[in-house]
Amino acid sequence: EAQLVESGGGLVQPGDSLRLSCAASGFAFRSYWMTWVRRAPGKGLEWVADIKDDGREKYYVDSVKGRFTISRDNAKNSLYLQMNSLRAEDTAVYYCALLLAGYWGPGTLVTVSS
Amino acid sequence: DIVMTQSPLSLSVTPGEPASISCRSSQSLLNSNGYNSLDWYVLKPGQSPHLLIYLGSNRPTGVPDKFSGSGSGADFTLTISRVEADDVGVYYCLQTLQTPYTFGQGTRLEIK
């Protein structure tokens, strides 16, 4: 059974950095594009970033460009999101997802507050 | 960027009655393979998003057949044929034709 599990969330101050991880199992992780999506409190879903199966193509929503970096390690079946210069508006539950198959993790909460 | 507009934004339905949610995109979502790059999700309290419909009208294994997706191009509809109490949640459409992928605002479904 396919499974995605995020980790690394927490409470940080504005300007801090955080690295989210997503451990994948039960499917051929190296064969698929992977995605990060977030949901801010009281708001809707927002696509954040995508990465190609081999890691060579990456795409971001404008609001995180230059601050967030998506990456992956296919040998470890893991997806990452390096988040720098965090802002209050980055506060959200972050999900990793294989959109093609509808697999989502349970999410990890990132809170940016002083 | 492709803008996704859902309506209504909230819906209150009597159990057993049908419900429909509209999703319109600012440009056609028809991809080069002839499919519509439009998915439907439901987000229930305390859960992660659950895929209901992919490529406009396809139901993944395990999704009840009371859920159906229709439409093409820039105009799509999610229909629940008979609403049950367990269907409470927020329903989203998502376009995956081009990045940035964009979601609709969400439609909150309540039970009367």
Side-chain angles (χ1 to χ4, degrees), chain A residues 33 35 37 39 43-47 50 59-62 95 98-107, chain B residues 1 39 41 43-44 46-51 54 60 92 94 96 99-106 108:
Chain A
W33 286 72
T35 300
V37 173
R39 179 175 57 85
K43 297 198 172 181
L45 297 170
E46 180 181 40
W47 172 84
D50 249 45
Y59 300 94
Y60 301 91
V61 68
D62 280 352
Y95 302 96
L98 169 52
L99 292 182
L100 191 66
Y103 300 154
W104 292 62
Chain B
D1 298 0
D39 301 332
Y41 283 88
L43 183 58
K44 297 183 178 182
Q47 299 184 20
S48 51
H50 180 65
L51 180 66
Y54 65 95
Y92 294 91
L94 166 67
T96 58
T99 59
Y101 296 159
T102 43
F103 289 89
Q105 314 98 302
R108 184 173 300 277

Side-chain angles (χ1 to χ4, degrees), chain A:
Chain A
E1 182 185 351
Q3 193 171 20
L4 296 167
V5 180
E6 305 90 342
S7 60
L11 172 62
V12 296
Q13 295 190 337
D16 283 355
S17 298
L18 207 56
R19 189 197 196 205
L20 305 184
S21 299
C22 173
S25 61
F27 65 97
F29 177 78
R30 65 178 63 244
S31 298
Y32 296 102
W33 286 72
M34 293 296 296
T35 300
W36 286 100
V37 173
R38 67 185 178 184
R39 179 175 57 85
K43 297 198 172 181
L45 297 170
E46 180 181 40
W47 172 84
V48 174
D50 249 45
I51 185 168
K52 194 173 182 287
D53 48 12
D54 60 7
R56 294 184 181 184
E57 293 181 41
K58 304 175 184 182
Y59 300 94
Y60 301 91
V61 68
D62 280 352
S63 59
V64 309
K65 279 180 185 174
R67 300 188 301 122
F68 289 12
T69 302
I70 189 172
S71 63
R72 65 192 296 161
D73 185 336
N74 286 343
K76 295 183 178 180
N77 286 343
S78 292
L79 178 71
Y80 306 101
L81 187 67
Q82 177 66 43
M83 303 186 295
N84 298 332
S85 303
L86 282 161
R87 306 167 180 168
E89 54 265 36
D90 296 317
T91 295
V93 175
Y94 286 74
Y95 302 96
C96 73
L98 169 52
L99 292 182
L100 191 66
Y103 300 154
W104 292 62
T108 187
L109 176 61
V110 173
T111 304
V112 184
S113 174
S114 54

Side-chain angles (χ1 to χ4, degrees), chain B residues 2-5 22-40 55-57 69-77 93-98 102:
Chain B
I2 298 176
V3 177
M4 305 298 291
T5 303
S22 169
C23 177
R24 290 182 173 158
S25 55
S26 58
Q27 65 186 73
S28 174
L29 300 183
L30 206 57
N31 63 30
S32 57
N33 296 321
Y35 296 100
N36 290 285
S37 298
L38 187 283
D39 301 332
W40 288 98
L55 296 178
S57 60
S70 61
S72 186
D75 198 350
F76 300 90
T77 302
C93 57
L94 166 67
Q95 70 81 15
T96 58
L97 181 69
Q98 65 187 47
T102 43

